[in-house]
Amino acid sequence: MPYSAAARPGRLVYTADGSNSLYNTELDQHYHSMQGALQESRHVFINLGLKPALEQASAPVRIFEMGFGTGLNALLAWQQADDFQKPVEYLGVEAYPIADEEVEGLNFDEITGKAGLAQLHQAPWSAYTRLTEYFSFCKVHTTLEDFTLNDAPFDVIFYDAFSPTAQPELWTEEVFARIAAMTRPGGVLVTYSAKGSVRRALDAVGFSVEKHPGPGRKREVVKAIRR
Ligand SMILES: C[S@@+](CC[C@H](N)C(=O)[O-])C[C@H]1O[C@@H](n2cnc3c(N)ncnc32)[C@H](O)[C@@H]1O
């Protein structure tokens, strides 16, 4: 059954590293690994994706996130941009934004040491807001399928849809071909799913796929480089 606008996240959960996440009752999916939301976000999206890009960057690093969700990845990216003192332009798409009460329940400011989750959620839709000297942020209220890029391609893709089992329509060659077209050659896509069909689809649309050790007990995650 396709995910619908009626779907609401449902309930707040604690993951094993003490960070919160949400559970989506309709899809029976957690927003993050229950072994640690913070651990997973740092490992997959920040350490594998953003950090190497920031280390090499001589221009603003442009990030695209599929599934802004709770805002944890965006908050960590903001923290990295400020720590590195290098500019990041972050665009996240989200079809089903979480409610204010859900945002208030999340402990990310405290557990990351970076205050700002509320600012991310209160930022206007469809416009970049400069939140600090090094971090510009834009969220777009749309499905990935309806998103069109009218700007420069991205350097880093955080691909964070619900799992291929829960949302198979978001892990197809057709969708990844659109993502590839939005990624500059040499740019990277990082994602927590190393499923064979996902790796093959990414390869088929022009990414060179690498498997990397996952966080906690997760065996492998993916970093794919746009050819
Ligand atoms: C795994 S969660 C994302 C976790 C998020 N990156 C975070 O740090 O909280 C997947 C997200 O994708 C969103 N989503 C699901 N289908 C979507 C679609 N077709 N287009 C855009 N967003 C979608 C969900 O509402 C959810 O917020």
Side-chain angles (χ1 to χ4, degrees):
M1 182 178 58
Y3 187 26
S4 72
R8 298 301 314 155
R11 67 187 167 95
L12 189 72
V13 293
Y14 271 90
T15 72
D17 65 10
S19 52
N20 295 136
S21 186
L22 295 173
Y23 172 70
N24 180 296
T25 46
E26 180 175 334
L27 293 176
D28 185 24
Q29 288 280 300
H30 290 103
Y31 276 52
H32 303 93
S33 161
M34 287 302 285
Q35 290 176 39
L38 179 60
Q39 168 182 261
E40 178 185 51
S41 283
R42 279 207 172 123
H43 184 103
V44 180
F45 299 104
I46 304 302
N47 293 343
L48 204 55
L50 179 56
K51 258 192 189 165
L54 277 174
E55 277 159 8
Q56 293 162 17
S58 54
V61 174
R62 286 174 48 75
I63 302 178
F64 176 82
E65 179 175 35
M66 162 51 209
F68 166 70
T70 63
L72 179 56
N73 291 338
L75 187 68
L76 291 173
W78 182 1
Q79 186 173 43
Q80 283 298 306
D82 286 356
D83 285 356
F84 269 79
Q85 301 195 346
K86 285 197 175 179
V88 166
E89 294 169 4
Y90 195 105
L91 187 148
V93 297
E94 177 53 60
Y96 313 108
I98 68 173
D100 292 347
E101 313 83 76
E102 288 156 349
V103 177
E104 282 160 20
L106 295 166
N107 64 359
F108 299 159
D109 284 4
E110 179 194 328
I111 202 143
T112 62
K114 167 76 190 157
L117 191 71
Q119 277 174 276
L120 294 172
H121 284 277
Q122 286 159 12
W125 294 101
S126 300
Y128 276 96
T129 306
R130 195 153 170 183
L131 293 173
T132 50
E133 184 178 353
Y134 297 105
F135 192 72
S136 294
F137 174 71
C138 174
K139 54 188 180 158
V140 182
H141 189 179
T142 181
T143 62
L144 175 64
E145 298 89 321
D146 288 338
F147 175 75
T148 45
L149 178 66
N150 303 312
D151 209 342
F154 295 98
D155 303 294
V156 180
I157 309 287
F158 289 177
Y159 204 82
D160 203 10
F162 287 123
S163 74
T165 315
Q167 289 193 294
E169 69 281 6
L170 291 176
W171 301 85
T172 61
E173 243 183 75
E174 191 189 347
V175 169
F176 286 138
R178 294 192 53 237
I179 297 284
M182 299 183 342
T183 311
R184 72 158 171 81
V188 301
L189 176 151
V190 278
T191 189
Y192 65 88
S193 175
K195 202 172 171 184
S197 58
V198 171
R199 287 185 282 117
R200 285 190 293 278
L202 285 168
D203 181 69
V205 302
F207 286 96
S208 298
V209 180
E210 297 173 356
K211 288 192 281 185
H212 289 261
R217 292 196 305 275
K218 184 159 175 54
R219 209 153 55 92
E220 289 166 337
V221 296
V222 156
K223 175 172 182 167
I225 297 139
R226 177 84 170 92
R227 293 192 285 269

